[in-house]
């Protein structure tokens, strides 16, 4: 399908009230975003986008950033790709060609890999929100991976689950590219550590809200642990429906889904008992995290997830890097990010990230949380 035929399918959001036809020029830096803003993963996409918007508005309210002696403001342009890698690639092309963005945020692995096919030739920086380890192993010099890789989560979650809940695992994750890669690593780690896979039934979290058939098939195999995960909202429905058909075991939750967000959909923390996942931002007691939580809640009226916090930090880091490099050129921005991270004020950096590896991966600590007696408890992941 030609790009022109697809343009009508995209949803454009000009965060600061500027039109899609605005091109990057002196005084304006256009920041691109392509992600799911409709369908089952819409909440996930909006959570990512809200962090970028919040940071951009703070930057603009402070008078913008100075580059070559001139003040510049940020204009965020968002397109809906409905979690489709092909649509993400189309959107990224459009953002570069129509708005000359130096940067495109992409919050799903399929879309990231699709844009990596041409971003260096087209000269834009991919801000990759994915934990897939291979993203930063391709040698792409115009890519930054924002969250930590999930291979550490797979090892830590598997060990905790087998030590505490049992060795029979049922696979009930999603079918998108990121979930498939996670699932493959879980299967290998689980069996390598002596566990048994008793059921394997991936489900399309983005298109369905009725998972009873799939979870009934899984539960009939009497697993000790069920692997689940996609965006938080459909993951909550999977867990709720598993409990409703009688499952009483543990859940191992892919890092894309956040325990607190999942619980809100599943029916409360009692439905999440013995769930293993990443520590949600709401449970982070650091001053930087608590400051961000307060400001985000005041602005949006809800508790933010890690997606919002990571994208908020990354947008501020880009602004700092543009100032430090005195440039909006993608290569110059990327080169200046490590220094920008080290110099950032803690109020802009909820996770306290201060380093970036040469491959573009930000250095972020691994976390593990479990739900015990209806409460989220942080555990040592090592």
């Amino acid at each position: 399908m030609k790009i022109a035929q697809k343009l009508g399918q995209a949803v454009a959001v000009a965060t600061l009230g500027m039109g899609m036809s605005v091109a990057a020029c002196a005084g304006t830096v256009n920041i691109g975003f392509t992600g799911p803003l409709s369908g089952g993963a819409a909440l996930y996409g909006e959570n990512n986008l809200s962090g970028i918007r919040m940071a951009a508005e703070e930057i603009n309210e402070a008078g913008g950033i100075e580059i070559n002696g001139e003040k510049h403001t940020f204009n965020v342009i968002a397109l809906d790709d409905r979690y489709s890698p092909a649509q993400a690639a189309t959107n990224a092309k459009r953002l570069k060609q129509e708005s000359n963005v130096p940067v495109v945020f992409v919050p799903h692995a399929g879309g990231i890999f699709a844009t990596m096919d041409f971003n260096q030739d087209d000269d834009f920086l991919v801000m990759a929100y994915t934990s897939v380890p291979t993203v930063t192993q391709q040698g792409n010099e115009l890519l930054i991976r924002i969250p930590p890789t999930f291979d550490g989560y797979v090892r830590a979650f598997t060990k905790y689950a087998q030590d505490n809940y049992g060795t029979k695992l049922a696979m009930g994750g999603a079918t998108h590219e990121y979930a498939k890669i996670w699932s493959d690593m879980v299967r290998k780690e689980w069996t390598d550590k002596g566990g048994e896979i008793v059921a394997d039934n991936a489900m399309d979290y983005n298109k369905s809200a009725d998972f009873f058939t799939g979870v009934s098939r899984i539960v009939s195999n009497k697993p000790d642990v069920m692997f689940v995960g996609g965006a938080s909202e459909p993951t909550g429905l999977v867990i709720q429906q598993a409990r409703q058909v009688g499952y009483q075991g543990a859940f191992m939750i892919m890092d894309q889904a956040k325990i607190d967000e999942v619980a809100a959909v599943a029916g409360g923390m009692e439905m999440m008992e013995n769930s293993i996942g990443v520590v949600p931002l709401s449970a982070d007691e650091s001053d930087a995290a608590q400051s961000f939580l307060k400001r985000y809640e005041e602005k949006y009226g809800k508790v933010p997830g890690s997606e919002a916090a990571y994208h908020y930090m990354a947008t501020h880091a880009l602004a700092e890097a543009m100032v430090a490099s005195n440039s909006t050129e993608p290569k110059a921005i990327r080169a200046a990010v490590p220094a920008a991270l080290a110099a950032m004020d803690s109020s802009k950096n909820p996770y306290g990230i201060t380093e970036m590896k040469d491959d573009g991966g930000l250095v972020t600590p691994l976390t593990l949380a479990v739900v015990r007696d209806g409460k989220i408890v942080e555990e040592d992941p090592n």
Side-chain angles (χ1 to χ4, degrees), residues 56-374:
E57 290 175 8
E58 288 181 356
I59 291 164
N60 293 349
E61 287 167 3
I65 58 174
E66 187 170 311
I67 303 171
N68 289 322
E70 236 177 357
K71 286 289 186 179
H72 290 66
T73 56
F74 274 18
N75 178 51
V76 181
I77 304 170
L79 299 177
D80 181 15
D81 61 29
R82 305 179 308 281
Y83 232 128
S84 162
Q87 187 65 53
T90 298
N91 288 351
K93 282 278 187 184
R94 178 184 178 185
L95 288 162
K96 180 62 181 180
Q97 291 169 2
E98 294 188 5
S99 302
N100 195 28
V101 296
V103 151
V104 178
F105 283 87
V106 190
H108 55 98
I112 291 162
F113 283 117
T115 56
M116 284 171 66
D117 284 343
F118 58 86
N119 77 297
Q120 293 181 98
D121 291 336
D122 286 10
D123 195 31
F124 65 88
L125 180 63
V126 174
M127 296 299 288
Y129 190 78
T130 181
S131 300
V132 176
T134 53
V135 160
T136 43
Q137 296 170 5
Q138 309 299 310
N140 192 304
E141 295 182 356
L142 288 180
L143 179 136
I144 293 175
R145 191 201 69 243
I146 302 171
T149 58
F150 66 64
D151 45 354
Y153 290 131
V154 171
R155 289 190 293 271
F157 291 7
T158 295
K159 184 178 188 305
Y160 191 92
Q162 291 190 355
D163 287 350
N164 291 276
Y165 304 130
T167 58
K168 294 181 179 180
L169 177 70
M171 303 295 296
T175 56
H176 57 271
E177 186 65 23
Y178 180 58
K180 289 177 182 177
I181 299 170
W182 240 96
S183 296
D184 288 344
M185 292 190 72
V186 167
R187 287 189 198 93
K188 185 177 187 307
E189 182 70 14
W190 193 270
T191 54
D192 284 352
K193 293 299 184 289
E196 177 187 2
I197 307 293
V198 297
D200 201 332
N201 190 71
M203 294 171 281
D204 191 338
Y205 283 34
N206 199 39
K207 292 182 179 179
S208 178
D210 183 355
F211 302 101
F212 280 108
T213 300
V215 297
S216 294
R217 188 177 297 121
I218 289 171
V219 171
S220 68
N221 290 278
K222 300 181 180 180
D224 300 312
V225 182
M226 186 185 300
F227 170 71
V228 296
S232 293
E233 192 169 24
T235 301
L237 293 175
V238 171
I239 287 177
Q240 180 188 64
Q241 291 170 33
R243 293 299 194 206
Q244 288 172 349
V245 299
Y247 179 65
Q248 297 181 358
F251 291 102
M252 185 161 69
I253 304 174
M254 190 173 78
D255 66 333
Q256 184 181 2
K258 307 304 182 290
I259 291 174
D260 52 353
E261 295 176 352
V262 173
V265 177
M269 280 296 173
E270 62 272 17
M271 303 289 274
M272 307 289 294
E273 193 69 16
N274 295 334
S275 289
I276 307 166
V278 297
V279 176
L281 186 67
S282 61
D284 188 331
E285 297 181 355
S286 68
D287 290 343
Q290 289 299 312
S291 171
F292 174 76
L293 281 164
K294 181 180 178 181
R295 286 179 286 121
Y296 187 96
E297 286 188 72
E298 288 174 352
K299 185 174 184 63
Y300 293 106
K302 64 178 183 178
V303 176
S306 59
E307 293 92 357
Y310 274 119
H311 282 81
Y312 171 85
M313 173 278 302
T315 304
H316 273 296
L318 288 174
E320 299 277 355
M322 290 176 193
V323 172
S325 64
N326 207 32
S327 175
T328 58
E329 293 299 316
K331 287 183 180 178
I333 296 169
R334 188 183 188 275
V337 165
L341 288 169
M344 279 176 67
D345 185 272
S346 62
S347 66
K348 302 174 183 177
N349 195 353
Y351 285 109
I353 298 169
T354 58
E355 296 179 63
M356 183 179 83
K357 296 180 181 178
D358 291 342
D359 63 9
L362 301 189
V363 179
T364 310
L366 190 69
T367 67
L368 185 154
V370 297
V371 178
R372 187 181 302 129
D373 297 327

